[in-house]
Protein backbone atom coordinates (compact mmCIF):
# COMPACT_ATOMS: atom_id res chain seq x y z
CA UNK A 1 0.00 0.00 0.00
CA UNK A 2 1.32 3.43 -0.94
CA UNK A 3 2.50 5.64 1.92
CA UNK A 4 0.17 8.47 2.95
CA UNK A 5 0.86 12.16 3.50
CA UNK A 6 -2.23 13.20 5.47
CA UNK A 7 -3.12 16.68 6.65
CA UNK A 8 -5.91 16.80 9.24
CA UNK A 9 -7.66 20.15 8.78
CA UNK A 10 -9.76 20.69 11.88
CA UNK A 11 -12.42 23.30 12.59
CA UNK A 12 -11.92 24.43 16.20
CA UNK A 13 -14.35 27.36 16.08
CA UNK A 14 -16.85 27.95 18.88
CA UNK A 15 -19.60 25.96 17.14
CA UNK A 16 -17.40 22.85 17.32
CA UNK A 17 -17.28 22.62 21.13
CA UNK A 18 -19.41 19.48 21.20
CA UNK A 19 -18.06 18.04 17.98
CA UNK A 20 -14.39 18.42 18.90
CA UNK A 21 -14.20 15.55 21.40
CA UNK A 22 -15.69 13.21 18.77
CA UNK A 23 -13.15 14.48 16.21
CA UNK A 24 -10.38 13.75 18.71
CA UNK A 25 -11.65 10.21 19.34
CA UNK A 26 -12.03 9.61 15.60
CA UNK A 27 -8.53 10.80 14.70
CA UNK A 28 -6.98 8.79 17.54
CA UNK A 29 -8.66 5.68 16.07
CA UNK A 30 -7.27 6.52 12.64
CA UNK A 31 -3.72 7.05 13.92
CA UNK A 32 -3.80 3.52 15.37
CA UNK A 33 -4.69 2.11 11.94
CA UNK A 34 -1.98 3.85 9.92
CA UNK A 35 1.38 2.37 9.00
CA UNK A 36 4.83 3.63 9.98
CA UNK A 37 5.43 4.81 6.41
CA UNK A 38 2.64 7.38 6.79
CA UNK A 39 2.98 10.92 8.05
CA UNK A 40 0.47 13.30 9.56
CA UNK A 41 0.29 17.09 9.83
CA UNK A 42 -2.43 18.97 11.73
CA UNK A 43 -3.84 22.37 10.78
CA UNK A 44 -6.59 24.05 12.80
CA UNK A 45 -8.73 27.03 11.97
CA UNK A 46 -10.98 29.32 13.99
CA UNK A 47 -10.41 33.11 13.97
CA UNK A 48 -7.21 32.35 12.07
CA UNK A 49 -5.46 29.23 10.85
CA UNK A 50 -2.34 27.61 12.25
CA UNK A 51 -0.20 24.52 12.03
CA UNK A 52 -0.43 22.55 15.27
CA UNK A 53 1.73 19.64 14.18
CA UNK A 54 4.29 19.69 11.35
CA UNK A 55 4.55 16.50 9.26
CA UNK A 56 5.27 13.72 11.76
CA UNK A 57 5.87 10.04 11.07
CA UNK A 58 3.24 7.67 12.47
CA UNK A 59 6.22 6.11 14.26
CA UNK A 60 5.69 8.93 16.75
CA UNK A 61 2.10 8.00 17.62
CA UNK A 62 2.28 9.49 21.09
CA UNK A 63 3.36 12.90 19.77
CA UNK A 64 0.55 12.91 17.18
CA UNK A 65 -2.08 11.88 19.74
CA UNK A 66 -0.93 14.56 22.18
CA UNK A 67 -1.36 17.21 19.49
CA UNK A 68 -4.87 15.88 18.72
CA UNK A 69 -5.90 15.66 22.37
CA UNK A 70 -4.65 19.16 23.22
CA UNK A 71 -6.95 20.88 20.70
CA UNK A 72 -9.38 23.45 22.13
CA UNK A 73 -12.33 25.16 20.47
CA UNK A 74 -13.26 28.84 20.29
CA UNK A 75 -13.47 31.73 17.80
CA UNK A 76 -15.03 32.32 14.40
CA UNK A 77 -14.41 30.11 11.38
CA UNK A 78 -11.70 30.92 8.80
CA UNK A 79 -12.28 27.88 6.61
CA UNK A 80 -10.69 29.42 3.52
CA UNK A 81 -7.50 30.36 5.30
CA UNK A 82 -7.32 26.93 6.88
CA UNK A 83 -7.77 25.15 3.59
CA UNK A 84 -5.02 27.21 1.91
CA UNK A 85 -2.60 26.41 4.71
CA UNK A 86 -3.50 22.71 4.62
CA UNK A 87 -2.80 22.54 0.87
CA UNK A 88 0.49 24.37 1.32
CA UNK A 89 1.61 21.84 3.95
CA UNK A 90 0.39 18.88 1.87
CA UNK A 91 2.47 20.19 -1.03
CA UNK A 92 5.59 20.67 1.12
CA UNK A 93 5.39 17.02 2.20
CA UNK A 94 4.18 15.63 -1.12
CA UNK A 95 4.89 11.93 -1.74
CA UNK A 96 5.12 11.46 -5.54
CA UNK A 97 3.80 7.89 -5.59
CA UNK A 98 1.81 8.19 -2.39
CA UNK A 99 -1.63 9.19 -1.18
CA UNK A 100 -1.58 12.96 -0.57
CA UNK A 101 -4.81 13.88 1.12
CA UNK A 102 -6.40 16.50 3.33
CA UNK A 103 -9.04 15.23 5.75
CA UNK A 104 -11.31 18.13 6.64
CA UNK A 105 -13.20 17.77 9.94
CA UNK A 106 -15.95 20.39 10.31
CA UNK A 107 -19.59 21.05 11.14
CA UNK A 108 -20.01 22.56 7.69
CA UNK A 109 -19.67 26.26 8.52
CA UNK A 110 -17.26 28.16 6.28
CA UNK A 111 -18.25 31.64 7.36
CA UNK A 112 -14.87 33.41 7.20
CA UNK A 113 -12.02 33.09 4.70
CA UNK A 114 -12.72 32.13 1.09
CA UNK A 115 -15.92 34.05 0.59
CA UNK A 116 -17.61 32.15 -2.20
CA UNK A 117 -18.27 28.49 -2.79
CA UNK A 118 -17.09 28.95 -6.38
CA UNK A 119 -13.66 30.10 -5.21
CA UNK A 120 -13.47 27.18 -2.80
CA UNK A 121 -14.47 24.73 -5.53
CA UNK A 122 -11.90 26.20 -7.94
CA UNK A 123 -9.15 25.86 -5.36
CA UNK A 124 -10.06 22.24 -4.60
CA UNK A 125 -10.24 21.30 -8.29
CA UNK A 126 -6.91 22.98 -9.04
CA UNK A 127 -5.20 21.09 -6.20
CA UNK A 128 -6.77 17.83 -7.34
CA UNK A 129 -4.90 18.22 -10.64
CA UNK A 130 -1.72 18.41 -8.54
CA UNK A 131 -2.69 15.06 -6.99
CA UNK A 132 -3.62 16.49 -3.58
CA UNK A 133 -7.06 15.17 -2.74
CA UNK A 134 -9.66 16.16 -0.15
CA UNK A 135 -12.00 14.05 1.98
CA UNK A 136 -14.58 15.66 4.26
CA UNK A 137 -15.85 14.41 7.62
CA UNK A 138 -18.87 16.19 9.04
CA UNK A 139 -19.45 16.34 12.79
CA UNK A 140 -22.05 18.01 15.00
CA UNK A 141 -24.50 20.06 12.95
CA UNK A 142 -22.99 19.01 9.64
CA UNK A 143 -25.96 16.94 8.59
CA UNK A 144 -27.81 20.09 7.53
CA UNK A 145 -24.99 20.77 5.07
CA UNK A 146 -24.67 17.24 3.71
CA UNK A 147 -25.11 18.04 0.01
CA UNK A 148 -22.76 21.03 0.19
CA UNK A 149 -20.01 19.06 1.89
CA UNK A 150 -20.47 16.05 -0.34
CA UNK A 151 -20.04 18.32 -3.36
CA UNK A 152 -16.78 19.72 -1.92
CA UNK A 153 -15.43 16.19 -1.28
CA UNK A 154 -16.46 15.14 -4.77
CA UNK A 155 -14.52 18.01 -6.35
CA UNK A 156 -11.52 17.00 -4.22
CA UNK A 157 -11.68 13.39 -5.45
CA UNK A 158 -12.59 12.24 -1.96
CA UNK A 159 -15.48 10.94 0.08
CA UNK A 160 -17.84 12.64 2.50
CA UNK A 161 -18.78 11.02 5.80
CA UNK A 162 -21.16 12.24 8.49
CA UNK A 163 -20.00 11.06 11.90
CA UNK A 164 -22.59 11.31 14.67
CA UNK A 165 -21.08 9.06 17.32
CA UNK A 166 -18.32 6.64 18.24
CA UNK A 167 -19.83 3.69 16.36
CA UNK A 168 -19.80 5.66 13.10
CA UNK A 169 -16.27 6.93 13.85
CA UNK A 170 -15.11 3.33 14.25
CA UNK A 171 -16.80 2.34 10.99
CA UNK A 172 -15.20 5.17 8.99
CA UNK A 173 -11.74 5.25 10.57
CA UNK A 174 -11.19 1.58 11.42
CA UNK A 175 -13.45 -0.77 9.42
CA UNK A 176 -13.55 1.26 6.19
CA UNK A 177 -10.23 3.00 6.75
CA UNK A 178 -8.70 2.13 3.38
CA UNK A 179 -11.70 3.30 1.37
CA UNK A 180 -11.86 6.47 3.48
CA UNK A 181 -8.30 7.33 2.55
CA UNK A 182 -7.95 5.93 -0.94
CA UNK A 183 -10.50 6.90 -3.53
CA UNK A 184 -10.97 4.30 -6.27
CA UNK A 185 -8.68 4.71 -9.29
CA UNK A 186 -7.51 8.12 -8.07
CA UNK A 187 -9.09 10.26 -10.81
CA UNK A 188 -12.15 8.21 -11.54
CA UNK A 189 -15.48 8.23 -9.79
CA UNK A 190 -17.85 5.31 -10.32
CA UNK A 191 -21.33 6.36 -11.30
CA UNK A 192 -24.12 3.87 -11.32
CA UNK A 193 -27.20 4.45 -13.41
CA UNK A 194 -30.27 2.29 -12.91
CA UNK A 195 -32.72 1.92 -15.75
CA UNK A 196 -36.25 1.44 -14.59
CA UNK A 197 -37.47 -0.44 -17.65
Amino acid sequence: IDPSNLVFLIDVSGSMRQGLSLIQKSLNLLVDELSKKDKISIVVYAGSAGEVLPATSVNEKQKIKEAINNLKSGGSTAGGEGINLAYKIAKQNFIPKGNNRIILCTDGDFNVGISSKDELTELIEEKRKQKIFLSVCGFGYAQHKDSEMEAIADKGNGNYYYIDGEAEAKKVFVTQMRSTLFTIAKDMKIQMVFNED
Side-chain angles (χ1 to χ4, degrees):
I1 290 167
D2 295 336
S4 288
N5 159 35
L6 301 178
V7 181
F8 296 157
L9 174 59
I10 304 167
D11 179 350
V12 292
S13 58
S15 65
M16 287 300 291
R17 274 196 190 97
Q18 288 162 325
L20 187 58
S21 66
L22 185 55
I23 289 175
Q24 288 165 320
K25 282 176 188 152
S26 301
L27 296 181
N28 275 308
L29 287 171
L30 177 57
V31 170
D32 284 333
E33 296 300 310
L34 294 171
S35 94
K36 291 177 178 174
K37 295 184 296 188
D38 301 330
K39 54 188 175 183
I40 289 174
S41 314
I42 301 176
V43 173
V44 297
Y45 65 94
S48 59
E51 183 181 40
V52 173
L53 182 76
T56 301
S57 159
V58 174
N59 264 337
E60 298 186 71
K61 259 184 197 169
Q62 214 39 52
K63 186 178 173 186
I64 294 168
K65 287 185 169 190
E66 260 170 43
I68 292 168
N69 296 332
N70 285 335
L71 297 173
K72 305 262 185 297
S73 70
S76 63
T77 313
E81 196 181 330
I83 218 156
N84 278 314
L85 181 58
Y87 277 122
K88 185 179 161 194
I89 289 165
K91 197 169 181 194
Q92 283 166 356
N93 298 290
F94 192 82
I95 302 172
K97 284 196 162 52
N99 171 35
N100 298 279
R101 185 172 298 276
I102 291 165
I103 297 179
L104 169 61
C105 301
T106 178
D107 62 358
D109 260 344
F110 291 99
N111 57 10
V112 184
I114 288 187
S115 50
S116 77
K117 298 222 171 44
D118 291 347
E119 277 179 69
L120 186 61
T121 303
E122 268 171 42
L123 173 73
I124 291 165
E125 287 181 324
E126 179 200 324
K127 299 299 181 186
R128 182 181 71 191
K129 289 177 194 148
Q130 297 170 21
K131 301 282 184 257
I132 299 172
F133 303 138
L134 175 79
S135 290
V136 183
C137 297
F139 294 83
Y141 303 111
Q143 210 163 9
H144 308 305
K145 309 258 180 147
D146 264 358
S147 57
E148 218 173 275
M149 290 165 71
E150 200 164 338
I152 288 172
D154 206 47
K155 299 281 185 236
N157 204 42
N159 301 313
Y160 167 63
Y161 301 92
Y162 175 64
I163 297 164
D164 57 0
E166 285 184 52
E168 191 62 21
K170 212 163 250 181
K171 191 173 108 182
V172 170
F173 291 113
V174 180
T175 320
Q176 302 174 346
M177 196 269 290
R178 288 289 153 201
S179 63
T180 306
L181 295 187
F182 299 89
T183 308
I184 304 164
K186 296 232 164 54
D187 284 318
M188 185 181 83
K189 286 270 178 192
I190 288 182
Q191 289 200 316
M192 294 174 83
V193 178
F194 295 97
N195 290 325
E196 287 177 13
D197 37 73

